[in-house]
Amino acid sequence: MSSSEPTPFGREMRKKHFLFSPALTPLNHGGYGAFPATVRTAQRHFQDEQESWPDLWFQRSRRQHIDVSRRAIAKLVHADVEDCVFVTNTSTGLDIVLRNLEFGAGDVVVTFATTYYAVQNTLLSVMEMSPVQMRKVEYTFPIAHDEIVQKFLEVVRKAKNEGLNVRAAVVDTIVSVPGVRFPFEKLVKACKDEGILSIVDGAHGVGQISLDLGQLDPDFFLTNCHKWLYTPRGCALFYVPKRNQYLIQTPLPTGVGYVSTSKRGQTHSEFRSLFDFVATSDDTAWMCLPAALKFRDEACGGEEAIYTYLQKIAREGGDKIAEILGTEVMQEPGLEDSELRRCAMVNVRLPLGFKNGTVNTNVLDPSTSPYSLLEVEDAGRVEAWLKYKLMIEFHTMLVGCG
């Protein structure tokens, strides 16, 4: 850590280091992320270098800078650097994994009720081009972590009893909607015990919670650096341990590092070379990892200080908003230390209730809503109205506020 004193979190941190409009109240960090002025300066330095001599940049300098970042991110997440490459975002990486796995008749991929919609759509697309099936683990939050794992195992074993081959499962680290921590550690272990490939959607992982990929030992792991780690947008870690690298035959799009099947080894796919140069693009966001980590160390006081503060402010803020609204924060009933809330996001129930005909489907007791119950079919319009008011009139944003 630097000998200089870290900047206090909150208003002083924002004023001194970040680039937000003075009119903005930034509450949606998980949506698109943000990065400090020092990281912007680092990226512009790389962009200037790129423009000063494009041939040298793309033929030589680009790879050297990316290698520095690969070593930096590998150290942060306790991974072998040879297992780490970059892609533009987690959705792209998950798409690469699902389209590289060769599925046969009877193969199944398990997802969850709250799997990100783009991942669900990717799998639907893969199902149209292969015989793979999808099975979904259904539940409603709040629910305990162990119960999620049990429901997952029930789906897996039911599929196996039907004679199907459960090939893989897509597991979140932290769900985006609703924003809750998922039992990814337990689910990765369950996948290993059941002989299933674990594909971890860590879009909201690195920078928000501590990660040890060496200990976790997933089969595939994706995580966005631009959401919580303070890199510019378009930067995600794609981690594949050596035992599985042969399964990744091509990035998307296929780049110059592709090796045809006739020339490819049976146990090694030249994983790194596949992602060395896929297509001409501005990849300077990838090169900003060292600058982002330096900022986190020197200005913020280190990783643990950040994680502690994020969870503290999310807990205190959520509790205060629930108190103001006269509602409650979503967490497991009767559990004092909520596993769902061990992250930087929080879910507060709005004082609105929806009905479906005469059945009230969203509020346990209609008297808990000070407003008339709304029809379920109006939920989408209510959400759009809320988001418009928040963004245009109040200069902030919440996700999943319908």
Side-chain angles (χ1 to χ4, degrees), residues 128-147:
E128 293 178 348
M129 297 182 288
S130 76
V132 68
Q133 301 178 41
M134 178 172 60
R135 294 294 174 90
K136 187 179 293 186
V137 182
E138 299 288 357
Y139 47 83
T140 301
F141 282 115
I143 181 174
H145 275 188
D146 285 345
E147 190 174 350

Side-chain angles (χ1 to χ4, degrees), residues 175-189:
V175 178
S176 57
V177 181
V180 296
R181 182 158 176 157
F182 215 56
F184 66 97
E185 301 96 334
K186 294 178 180 179
L187 287 166
V188 168
K189 183 181 183 303

Side-chain angles (χ1 to χ4, degrees), residues 58 68 74 103 120 193 203 206 280 300 306 321:
F58 285 104
V68 173
F103 295 110
Q120 300 274 11
D193 291 344
V206 71
T280 302
C300 303
I306 295 171
I321 294 172

Side-chain angles (χ1 to χ4, degrees), residues 170-205:
V170 181
V171 177
D172 282 300
T173 53
I174 297 168
V175 178
S176 57
V177 181
V180 296
R181 182 158 176 157
F182 215 56
F184 66 97
E185 301 96 334
K186 294 178 180 179
L187 287 166
V188 168
K189 183 181 183 303
C191 286
K192 198 176 299 293
D193 291 344
E194 294 291 328
I196 301 169
L197 291 172
S198 55
I199 306 171
V200 182
D201 179 349
H204 291 277

Side-chain angles (χ1 to χ4, degrees), residues 373-384:
L373 294 181
L374 303 166
E375 297 292 339
V376 169
E377 56 265 28
D378 292 330
R381 289 191 289 273
V382 171
E383 179 178 12

Side-chain angles (χ1 to χ4, degrees), residues 353-368 373:
F354 292 87
K355 61 183 179 179
N356 185 3
T358 60
V359 180
N360 181 8
T361 59
N362 289 70
V363 181
L364 295 176
D365 179 357
S367 66
T368 63
L373 294 181

Side-chain angles (χ1 to χ4, degrees), residues 88-283:
T88 53
N89 52 61
T90 292
S91 295
T92 297
L94 289 165
D95 204 290
I96 290 171
V97 174
L98 290 170
R99 294 188 188 281
N100 271 272
L101 294 178
E102 296 180 4
F103 295 110
D107 281 354
V108 170
V109 175
V110 177
T111 64
F112 293 80
T114 49
T115 296
Y116 187 52
Y117 68 90
V119 179
Q120 300 274 11
N121 287 343
T122 296
L123 192 50
L124 290 174
S125 173
V126 172
M127 289 168 61
E128 293 178 348
M129 297 182 288
S130 76
V132 68
Q133 301 178 41
M134 178 172 60
R135 294 294 174 90
K136 187 179 293 186
V137 182
E138 299 288 357
Y139 47 83
T140 301
F141 282 115
I143 181 174
H145 275 188
D146 285 345
E147 190 174 350
I148 293 174
V149 176
Q150 184 57 42
K151 287 180 176 292
F152 167 72
L153 290 173
E154 289 171 0
V155 168
V156 168
R157 290 165 185 170
K158 183 176 185 295
K160 287 183 175 181
N161 288 337
E162 295 173 12
L164 300 172
N165 174 38
V166 183
R167 184 81 185 284
V170 181
V171 177
D172 282 300
T173 53
I174 297 168
V175 178
S176 57
V177 181
V180 296
R181 182 158 176 157
F182 215 56
F184 66 97
E185 301 96 334
K186 294 178 180 179
L187 287 166
V188 168
K189 183 181 183 303
C191 286
K192 198 176 299 293
D193 291 344
E194 294 291 328
I196 301 169
L197 291 172
S198 55
I199 306 171
V200 182
D201 179 349
H204 291 277
V206 71
Q208 183 178 168
I209 58 175
S210 179
L211 293 173
D212 187 333
L213 299 188
Q215 181 177 359
L216 181 66
D217 195 28
D219 289 302
F220 304 94
F221 193 98
L222 281 301
T223 187
N224 285 328
C225 302
H226 56 253
K227 284 190 182 291
W228 298 93
L229 199 64
Y230 304 151
T231 72
R233 292 165 199 88
C235 179
L237 168 65
F238 183 20
Y239 167 84
V240 183
K242 291 178 183 60
R243 66 177 183 273
N244 292 329
Q245 290 178 7
Y246 76 98
L247 294 170
I248 304 300
Q249 300 177 16
T250 179
L252 296 176
T254 299
V256 298
Y258 175 75
V259 178
S260 66
T261 304
S262 62
K263 298 179 180 179
R264 188 182 306 129
Q266 294 301 307
T267 59
H268 184 56
S269 67
E270 298 295 337
F271 177 64
R272 164 63 197 282
S273 66
L274 288 177
F275 294 86
D276 262 347
F277 184 81
V278 175
T280 302
S281 60
D282 183 356
D283 300 323

